[in-house]
Amino acid sequence: MPITHITNNYVIPRGRVYIDPYDANEQLTGEFPMGNCPDVNIEISTDKWEHYSSEQGLQEKDAGGAIKVTRTGTLVSDNFSPSNAALWLSGTHTKVTQAATPVTGEMRTVIPGRIYQLGASTSNPMGVRNVTGITVKNEAGTTTYAAGVDYNIDAETGRVQILEDGAIVAGVVQFGYTPVAGTFDAVQSGANSELLVAVRVVPDNATGPNDDVYLPKVSLSAGGNLPLIAEGTDPVTMEFEMEVLKPANGQAIYRAGRPVA
């Protein structure tokens, strides 16, 4: 019988990435998909100790071994979803409900030529968007100014521009408007620069075995830059730095195939 040779596994990796955030009590809260991730990798570095014998003229290494292992990695996603943006900002993703409650007498100090965001406040710095029935009056509410003559509006973004050649002078005015009822996504940054998560990679490789990978404890932090305006046509990517940790009752990295019926 001839020698039997092994079959090589050549892998061209593809797959889906799932993130499972820990809560304040370090309990997992459930996985959500990150969407398209064109680059996910792990890097392992090892520190070793060395000992050289002094029993002869030529010192030779007679002992040594690994004393520390560090596992890091990067994760890049071009799916600019609210949940991914919240991860990159180490913040929160919430659903905000805007009620169609008419607003009258919103006092603002204005300067001709400037633009003002309706509904902006300390508790809601983004203000309101998608509004109807915008009005501008003087501080006493006795004079109603004319749209297109004294001010311009962008109802979709909820912004008012006070015109320089209109009747509105520098000082206090009253804004009135009615927000359109609806629900929208909102993301805000958090106080922490990193988040504790678990990472699962479910492969669908172009070639090679589909071995699932699970990292039960990862310190995830934002890396690189996030373009807000760019000249090119490439999709925005978010890069994350991973510090792969070993949990108290488990291993740092798991990789396993799937049973065949």
Side-chain angles (χ1 to χ4, degrees):
M1 294 290 291
I3 294 175
T4 300
H5 299 285
I6 66 169
T7 299
N8 293 302
N9 286 329
Y10 302 113
V11 177
I12 299 177
R14 304 284 191 269
R16 290 177 169 82
V17 177
Y18 297 85
I19 298 294
D20 192 347
Y22 283 86
D23 62 16
N25 298 316
E26 285 204 14
Q27 299 296 313
L28 293 170
T29 56
E31 299 178 1
F32 67 85
M34 287 202 74
N36 191 57
C37 294
D39 187 12
V40 182
N41 65 75
I42 296 174
E43 179 179 344
I44 298 177
S45 62
T46 304
D47 291 347
K48 297 182 179 181
W49 70 276
E50 299 175 334
H51 182 271
Y52 291 84
S53 172
S54 298
E55 294 183 329
Q56 57 188 21
L58 177 64
Q59 283 191 318
E60 296 184 90
K61 185 188 293 186
D62 62 357
I67 57 172
K68 183 173 71 173
V69 61
T70 302
R71 304 176 181 94
T72 59
T74 57
L75 188 159
V76 177
S77 177
D78 56 14
N79 174 32
F80 196 61
S81 65
S83 56
N84 286 355
L87 273 184
W88 200 84
L89 294 170
S90 299
T92 55
H93 166 218
T94 57
K95 290 284 188 180
V96 178
T97 299
Q98 178 172 281
T101 303
V103 175
T104 59
E106 184 175 292
M107 300 292 190
R108 298 288 295 275
T109 300
V110 301
I111 299 173
R114 304 290 177 87
I115 300 173
Y116 298 89
Q117 178 67 51
L118 298 176
S121 64
T122 302
S123 60
N124 182 25
M126 293 289 291
V128 296
R129 285 160 302 285
N130 201 356
V131 298
T132 62
I134 296 175
T135 61
V136 182
K137 299 181 180 182
N138 65 350
E139 183 177 6
T142 55
T143 300
T144 300
Y145 298 109
V149 176
D150 301 316
Y151 63 93
N152 290 331
I153 61 175
D154 184 342
E156 183 179 0
T157 61
R159 291 163 63 77
V160 177
Q161 179 186 38
I162 307 300
L163 297 179
E164 290 184 329
D165 55 356
I168 302 174
V169 298
V172 177
V173 299
Q174 293 187 27
F175 288 127
Y177 55 90
T178 300
V180 173
T183 302
F184 55 93
D185 293 291
V187 175
Q188 63 182 25
S189 60
N192 297 324
S193 60
E194 58 185 6
L195 295 174
L196 197 62
V197 302
V199 178
R200 187 185 304 274
V201 178
V202 179
D204 185 8
N205 294 329
T207 186
N210 289 321
D211 291 343
D212 300 316
V213 176
Y214 184 61
L215 314 177
K217 193 174 185 180
V218 174
S219 176
L220 195 69
S221 58
N225 61 75
L226 182 68
L228 299 180
I229 297 177
E231 183 178 355
T233 57
D234 294 334
V236 169
T237 61
M238 291 171 286
E239 180 176 330
F240 299 87
E241 297 176 357
M242 297 191 297
E243 188 80 19
V244 183
L245 308 174
K246 181 183 182 301
N249 299 303
Q251 299 303 319
I253 301 174
Y254 293 91
R255 184 185 182 99
R258 302 166 186 172
V260 178

